[in-house]
């Protein structure tokens, strides 16, 4: 009786609060949701336990709203940690909090975790999207202190400790972890974006694969030799690991997988050009490995245009090094910038839009806000900024999770973040790669074996590892690629401003009869 009346009153107050402010907060959720929580997260009448020892006040207490009674007589709602981004950094931060007495809300604009190092293989038909992605909810199914919200961050109020979301909801936090990653930068030429394909999401990988395969299909039915040459010219801008791996994969696709698939064109004649403003490929690798990579790329028939500034990218192709290159497909793998974290936080941005953080990955003056991964400018032990690598984000996420857990439990904090460089790898076509571990450097087949093993181990699920391994073995034995299906209509595949110019074919070939 008493518990029932207080619960009804609580529901009424929560409904009014939600209707008037549109807040997404713990107090706006239904009692049914609360009953599904683990005991450590169940609310009790009068609010939750205090965390004043950590210097941070629980969000539920800040709101000052009565919480419904808990039929299981649990301890209290506790501390709320909001993690934005479910990539390497956000995922590892949430996992490190698996035993923390806290409510963790993981916000991401998609419903899946994506293994980006293999995204180029989705774009070149070697793998499908499901092979390298996994639903976030399935990853945290057993971690009962994690709630997943598919939404997008649009703003942060540091004073109120709230984040605004694209859905119109706001979410209060006690601790905030920003792991929003990076986006590609076109160096101030936003119009180039309309005529090139970047590679950050599954949608972009799907578009890349469709555009790549469609170029060969359109070349097959074209009659104008100049148009055929344009359709079979592929330009990759940026000779870092992504650009090198992408160029090598396109070469393997055209030279081997598609070699016997067409009757009117010769797929191995495809022209693949790799451009970079720097003097060498894989500039972050030692010179010897960079030189090996250049030789290997050239052996695949790839043209290298180094120390070559791109002057224009449009529907007809690119202008690079003062030369006009007619190309139907341009892949962009040059330059990244942080997501607008600095604008959301209303702080001064560092180079490339990054936000400078302290040695513990917190925003200076705000110990409750952590920034990790590609959005953070964090110096290593040598005083130089850490590179934008997945390994950095992964280690920072784990460190931040341990730091938050120590604060909540009153235990010893792990100290300052120290990045451990375990090496870097890049694949160059099938059966060849380069590997730099500092104490040892590998090239060729041995490096490729190491590359394959490392990437398999880093995949999130056992199912993904098995499927990817089977696909790789099949491709290695047969040069086959099983994801060569065009799934988008032609209008979606043409670069903006480009016209469909297939030429004409004889009536028998084009009639479908």
């Amino acid at each position: 009786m008493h518990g029932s009346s207080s619960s009804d009153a609580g529901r009424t107050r929560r409904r009014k609060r939600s209707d008037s402010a549109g807040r997404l907060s713990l107090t706006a959720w239904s009692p049914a949701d609360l009953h599904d929580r683990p005991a450590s997260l169940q609310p009790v009448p009068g609010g939750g336990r205090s965390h004043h020892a950590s210097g941070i006040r629980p969000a539920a207490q800040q709101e000052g709203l009565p919480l419904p009674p808990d039929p299981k007589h649990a301890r209290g709602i506790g501390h709320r940690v909001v993690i934005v981004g479910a990539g390497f950094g956000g995922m590892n931060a949430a996992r490190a909090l698996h035993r923390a007495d806290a409510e963790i809300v993981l916000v991401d604009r998609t419903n899946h975790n994506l293994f980006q190092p293999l995204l180029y293989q989705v774009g070149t038909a070697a793998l499908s999207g499901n092979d390298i992605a996994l639903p976030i909810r399935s990853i945290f199914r057993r971690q009962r202190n994690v709630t997943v919200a598919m939404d997008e961050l649009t703003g942060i109020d540091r004073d109120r400790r709230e984040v605004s979301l694209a859905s119109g909801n706001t979410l209060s936090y006690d601790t905030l972890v920003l792991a929003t990653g990076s986006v590609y930068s076109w160096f101030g030429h936003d119009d180039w974006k309309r005529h090139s394909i970047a590679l950050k999401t599954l949608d972009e990988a799907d578009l890349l694969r469709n555009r790549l395969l469609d170029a060969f299909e359109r070349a097959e039915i074209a009659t104008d030799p100049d148009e055929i040459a344009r359709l079979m010219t592929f330009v990759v801008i940026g000779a870092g690991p992504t650009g090198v791996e992408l160029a090598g994969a396109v070469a393997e696709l055209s030279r081997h997988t598609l070699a016997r698939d067409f009757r009117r064109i010769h797929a191995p004649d495809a022209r693949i050009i790799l451009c970079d403003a720097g003097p060498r490929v894989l500039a972050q690798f030692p010179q010897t490995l960079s030189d090996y990579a250049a030789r290997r790329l050239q052996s695949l028939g790839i043209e290298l245009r180094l120390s070559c500034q791109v002057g224009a990218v449009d529907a007809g192709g690119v202008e690079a090094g003062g030369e006009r290159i007619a190309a139907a497909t341009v892949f962009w793998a040059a330059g990244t910038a942080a997501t607008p974290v600095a604008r959301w936080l209303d702080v001064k941005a560092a180079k490339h839009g990054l936000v400078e953080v302290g040695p513990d990955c917190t925003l200076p003056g705000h110990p409750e806000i952590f920034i990790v991964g590609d959005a953070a400018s964090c110096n290593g032990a040598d005083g130089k900024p850490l590179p934008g690598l997945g390994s950095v984000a992964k280690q920072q996420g784990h460190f931040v999770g341990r730091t938050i857990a120590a604060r909540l439990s009153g235990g010893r904090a792990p100290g300052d973040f120290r990045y451990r460089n375990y090496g870097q790898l890049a694949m160059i076509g099938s059966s060849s790669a380069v590997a730099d571990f500092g104490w040892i450097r590998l090239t060729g087949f041995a490096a490729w074996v190491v590359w394959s093993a490392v990437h398999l181990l880093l995949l999130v699920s056992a199912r993904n590892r098995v499927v990817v391994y089977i696909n790789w073995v099949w491709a290695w034995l047969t040069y086959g690629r099983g994801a060569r299906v065009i799934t988008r209509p032609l209008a979606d595949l043409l670069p903006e401003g480009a016209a469909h110019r297939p030429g004409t074919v004889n009536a028998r070939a084009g009639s479908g009869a």
Side-chain angles (χ1 to χ4, degrees):
M1 308 11 60
H2 174 73
S4 175
S5 61
S6 64
S7 178
D8 292 339
R11 280 196 294 269
T12 301
R13 283 188 289 269
R14 287 194 307 280
R15 186 164 53 250
K16 289 180 180 179
R17 178 71 168 180
S18 178
D19 293 343
S20 63
R23 291 174 62 87
L24 173 61
S25 67
L26 181 69
T27 54
W29 296 351
S30 70
D33 294 329
L34 296 170
H35 294 166
D36 290 337
R37 293 185 185 169
S40 62
L41 297 181
Q42 291 284 357
V44 294
R49 57 180 172 72
S50 173
H51 284 281
H52 297 298
S54 65
I56 300 174
R57 198 175 162 206
Q61 294 183 7
Q62 291 176 8
E63 293 164 6
L65 296 178
L67 297 170
D70 173 27
K72 297 182 181 180
H73 307 289
R75 292 177 297 171
I77 177 176
H79 189 93
R80 179 182 292 170
V81 180
V82 174
I83 302 174
V84 184
F88 286 119
M91 280 271 296
N92 282 275
R95 282 176 160 177
L97 289 164
H98 69 286
R99 292 184 179 178
D101 190 5
E103 176 203 5
I104 303 162
V105 182
L106 182 56
V107 180
D108 196 278
R109 61 183 177 180
T110 70
N111 78 327
H112 57 268
N113 169 263
L114 178 64
F115 188 65
Q116 286 194 349
L118 293 181
L119 194 57
Y120 81 95
Q121 294 202 7
V122 176
T124 53
L127 300 172
S128 66
N130 287 335
D131 297 341
I132 64 168
L134 197 66
I136 301 169
R137 296 184 186 279
S138 68
I139 296 171
F140 291 100
R141 181 182 294 127
R142 297 177 184 273
Q143 190 171 332
R144 299 294 293 172
N145 63 347
V146 173
T147 297
V148 178
M150 194 176 78
D151 214 329
E152 189 169 0
L153 180 66
T154 58
I156 301 170
D157 188 329
R158 291 181 293 169
D159 296 330
R160 293 175 58 86
R161 294 191 180 179
E162 291 178 346
V163 295
S164 300
L165 304 174
S167 61
N169 293 313
T170 60
L171 183 62
S172 58
Y173 65 84
D174 296 308
T175 298
L176 177 64
V177 180
L178 297 173
T180 51
S182 62
V183 295
Y184 274 109
S185 169
W186 280 261
F187 309 114
H189 300 278
D190 290 341
D191 54 316
W192 296 0
K193 183 178 180 179
R194 300 196 303 270
H195 308 295
S196 58
I197 307 172
L199 200 57
K200 279 287 186 181
T201 67
L202 279 180
D203 280 344
E204 289 170 338
D206 178 70
L207 176 61
L208 189 154
R209 184 190 72 249
N210 279 270
R211 185 86 63 83
L212 178 62
L213 297 174
D214 176 73
F216 287 100
E217 295 292 346
R218 287 192 284 146
E220 174 78 353
I221 63 173
T223 56
D224 180 4
D226 291 337
E227 177 65 4
I228 293 174
R230 187 184 75 89
L231 288 167
M232 294 182 63
T233 298
F234 305 92
V235 178
V236 181
I237 301 175
T242 299
V244 166
E245 292 181 336
L246 180 57
V250 174
E252 293 283 354
L253 178 70
S254 63
R255 307 294 191 260
H256 300 288
T257 307
L258 302 180
R260 296 187 178 91
D261 284 11
F262 295 92
R263 301 293 177 264
R264 297 169 56 86
I265 62 171
H266 188 228
D269 290 340
R271 186 184 181 195
I272 302 154
I273 303 171
L274 179 61
C275 301
D276 196 277
R280 60 191 181 97
V281 302
L282 299 178
Q284 64 272 52
F285 283 71
Q287 183 73 50
T288 54
L289 298 185
S290 177
D291 292 342
Y292 173 86
R295 293 193 300 269
R296 173 62 179 165
L297 289 168
Q298 290 172 327
S299 73
L300 293 172
I302 298 169
E303 300 178 32
L304 300 183
R305 303 290 181 90
L306 303 176
S307 300
C308 179
Q309 293 280 352
V310 175
V313 180
D314 54 42
V318 303
E319 181 183 310
E323 177 188 354
R324 179 68 185 177
I325 303 174
T329 310
V330 179
F331 306 121
W332 187 269
T336 60
T339 47
V341 174
R343 176 168 58 80
W344 292 332
L345 291 170
D346 192 23
V347 298
K348 183 179 179 180
K351 190 177 180 180
H352 304 305
L354 278 65
V355 175
E356 292 184 353
V357 298
D360 60 351
C361 297
T362 60
L363 180 69
H366 289 270
E368 77 282 3
I369 299 177
F370 294 85
I371 308 173
V372 301
D374 292 349
S377 176
C378 182
N379 292 334
D382 58 359
K384 297 179 181 179
L386 294 173
L389 300 175
S391 57
V392 175
K394 186 175 182 179
Q395 291 181 37
Q396 285 179 330
H398 183 71
F399 167 84
V400 165
R402 290 175 54 215
T403 299
I404 297 171
R407 287 184 184 180
L408 297 179
S409 65
R412 182 179 179 181
D416 294 342
F417 173 70
R418 294 182 63 86
Y419 172 60
R420 292 172 175 81
N421 185 1
Y422 295 112
Q424 50 187 344
L425 303 149
M427 183 176 175
I428 315 162
S430 64
S431 304
S432 183
V434 291
D436 175 28
F437 299 109
W439 57 278
I440 187 173
R441 297 169 184 173
L442 302 174
T443 60
F445 184 77
W448 176 74
V449 171
V450 175
W451 181 95
S452 302
V454 168
H455 284 71
L456 282 174
L457 290 173
L458 290 176
L459 286 167
V460 174
S461 75
R463 180 248 175 213
N464 286 14
R465 296 186 192 106
V466 171
V467 172
V468 169
Y469 177 75
I470 291 173
N471 276 279
W472 283 352
V473 170
W474 177 256
W476 188 74
L477 292 173
T478 68
Y479 285 107
R481 292 176 182 244
R484 302 195 331 262
V485 178
I486 298 174
T487 57
R488 297 196 182 198
L490 178 61
D492 292 347
L493 301 180
L494 294 175
E496 188 172 325
H500 181 38
R501 299 177 290 178
T504 58
V505 295
N506 62 68
R508 183 183 300 276
S511 65

